[in-house]
Amino acid sequence: MPKAPPLRLGVNVDHVATLRNARGGARPDPVRAALTAIEAGADGITAHLREDRRHIRDTDMERLKAEIGKPLNFEMAATEDMLRISLATRPHAVCLVPERREELTTEGGLDVVGQHNALAPFIARLNDAGIRVSLFISADPQQIEMAARLRAPVIEIHTGGWCDALVDGHAAKAEAEWQRIVEGAKLAHAAGLEVHAGHGLDYQTAETIAALPELAELNIGYFMMGEALFVGLGETVRSMRAAMDRGRQRGQGKA
Ligand code: PXP
């Protein structure tokens, strides 16, 4: 079994901006949420600048980059406009995600097999700028192999299908999705990719997936912001960190 690297927690603050935008004012402030999350143990902050700016806005990204003092993971669609903004913002990382205007959230992984010609120069320009590129893909062997060929240093495995199946009580589907994630993480690690995961994770699924030694980072947002309403964001981050640590220790046979 490979020795597991420390597992980083990236906190996604998109939905603090969703709440702010519901009233059109300045509160709650996603940057304040980011600073609170970091103080409580988050290793980095993730935010998605969508084409329709439905939650995070350009000024939020600028302020996050200027104020948080920890790695900023800039999620975006692979468009020329976003490339220009990300190159100007110079975040630590860019995570390329598929985007459809009518979707509620990022529904599927990026089709890097179908879009490799368009993505290759895009990834190269981000690599050249020293911005770590991550591709948000499903744990599909063909997608993983193409991600490695495209010279993206990182993939983020889409965990939404697994998490949804668990919440909906579809045990067989959840097990199949889980096996796909386990195999996908192994394949990606063997191909030299750094492996992240995210979408739909809660305390239980984060603890389970933290046991996979190939994983280096989890990106989690929606569940944590919901929990924060009841116990506060700092407490939520600490509980998530503890869940991840329990899972990792179990994966290393120490619990
Ligand atoms: N990772 C990526 C690439 C995402 O697009 C999202 C959702 O914005 C997340 C992680 C976080 O998902 P959730 O908000 O469901 O925890």
Side-chain angles (χ1 to χ4, degrees), residues 12 14 75 95 97 105-106 136 156 198-201 219-222:
N12 181 313
D14 290 352
E75 273 184 30
C95 180
V97 301
T105 178
T106 312
F136 186 49
E156 180 166 325
H199 212 285
L201 294 170
N219 284 303
I220 311 178
Y222 190 77

